[in-house]
Amino acid sequence: MSVPLDLARTLATVVDEGTLDAAARRLHITPSAVSQRLRALEDQLGRVVLVRSKPVRTTPAGDAVVRLARQLALLEHDALAAMGADDGAVASVPLAVNADSLATWFLPPLQRVAERRSVVFDLHRDDQDFTAGLLESGVVMAAVTSREAPVAGCRVSRLGVLRYEAVASAGFAARWFPDGVDATALAAAPVVDFDRRDDLQTQWLAARGVPAGEPPRHRVPASQDFATAVALGLGWGLLPGFQSAAGLASGALVRLGGDPVEVPLFWQQWNLTSPLLDEVAEEVVGEGRRVLASGGVSRR
C-alpha cells in the first residue's frame, strides 16, 4: 500500500480550510472534484480519513495522512531552498501556542525568522494542556505545551516554569475580603477564568478547600483582557509577574496569598531534519528560556 501524495495534499487542504467548498476554492477545482479525490484516497487506503462535518474533522487514519502531507511539504521546501530552486516560494509553518505566550513573548522570535526566510506562520491558539493534541493530529508542526512526554514522532525542549499568583484589585479585595481571604469569602467572591478549560483558579481554590462550583465565574478568553478584567475589579484571578508587577508596585493590585501555581512549558516539534523548522525552534526556545527564566510571561 502507498499513500497518493496529491490526494494527501488535498486532504491537508480540506483540514486547513474546514470545508470542502473552501478547499475547492483554494485548489481551483470544484467541490465535487475535492470529494472525488477524498473518496479515491479512502478507497486506496481502505480506511475513512475524514468526517464530513462542519468544520470537517479527521479520523486517526486521516491524522496520519495529514502529518505525512505536511512533513513532505516542509521537506520539499527545504530541498528546493538548498538547491536555490525555490523561486521565492513561501513556506507555511503551522504552530500551536497558548494565549498569553502569543500575546507576549512568542511573536518576536517568529519575526526574526521571517526576516531571514520566505515563510508565513499559521498560528493555532489553545490552552497549553491541549496544544499537544494538535501535534498528534498533524494540524501543526510544533507547539508550546505543558506536556513533557514527547508526542509520538516529536522531540521536546524545556522552555521554563511559569509561576502564577492570585491577585485582585485593591477595591475588590476591600469589598470581598474585608476580614481576610478565607474559604467562606472565596466561595462568594467572583473569579475570572480564561475559558471553560482554564483550571488554574480552580487548582488554587481547591488547595483552600473551596469547591469549584461555589464561586461565580466570569470568562474572559483573551490574555490582555483577562488581566484588565482583574485590574478593573471584575473578579480575582491568577496572573504571572509580567502582567501583575506594575499593578502590585502601584498598589492597584494586591496579593491574595497562598502558594503560587506553577505551570511548566515545553516546545515540541516534529522529529525530522528540517533547517527551517530547526531555525524556528532555535529562536523560540532561546526566547522562551530568556523570558520565562524570571517567572513567566505566559499563562494559558
Side-chain angles (χ1 to χ4, degrees), residues 264-288:
L265 287 183
F266 302 88
W267 175 254
Q268 293 215 32
Q269 70 179 69
W270 288 348
N271 191 19
L272 51 79
T273 302
S274 166
L276 175 56
L277 191 55
D278 288 346
E279 189 171 333
V280 173
E282 182 179 2
E283 289 286 358
V284 170
V285 172
E287 183 81 6

Side-chain angles (χ1 to χ4, degrees), residues 87-223:
D87 296 324
V90 179
S92 177
V93 177
L95 305 172
V97 59
N98 56 309
D100 285 358
S101 291
L102 180 59
T104 53
W105 65 270
F106 192 72
L107 290 178
L110 301 189
Q111 185 270 336
R112 292 193 291 270
V113 175
E115 284 184 339
R116 303 188 297 265
R117 293 273 198 163
S118 294
V119 61
V120 292
F121 297 101
D122 181 10
L123 301 183
H124 298 252
R125 188 188 68 184
D126 206 342
D127 185 282
Q128 72 271 355
D129 292 338
F130 298 93
T131 49
L134 297 174
L135 270 174
E136 292 174 320
S137 66
V139 171
V140 300
M141 298 176 182
V144 175
T145 174
S146 60
R147 179 170 164 179
E148 183 175 11
V151 172
C154 293
R155 60 180 185 265
V156 184
S157 298
R158 186 177 180 84
L159 292 169
V161 175
L162 307 182
R163 295 175 181 87
Y164 299 99
E165 289 186 295
V167 299
S169 71
F172 181 94
R175 175 185 177 187
W176 290 97
F177 308 121
D179 300 318
V181 184
D182 57 23
T184 300
L186 286 168
V191 59
V192 183
D193 284 334
F194 187 83
D195 57 23
R196 285 174 173 79
R197 290 177 166 182
D198 179 13
D199 66 350
L200 291 184
Q201 285 71 224
T202 296
Q203 290 180 46
W204 192 87
L205 285 168
R208 281 144 196 83
V210 181
E214 289 197 357
R217 294 176 181 266
H218 302 287
R219 292 188 174 92
V220 184
S223 178

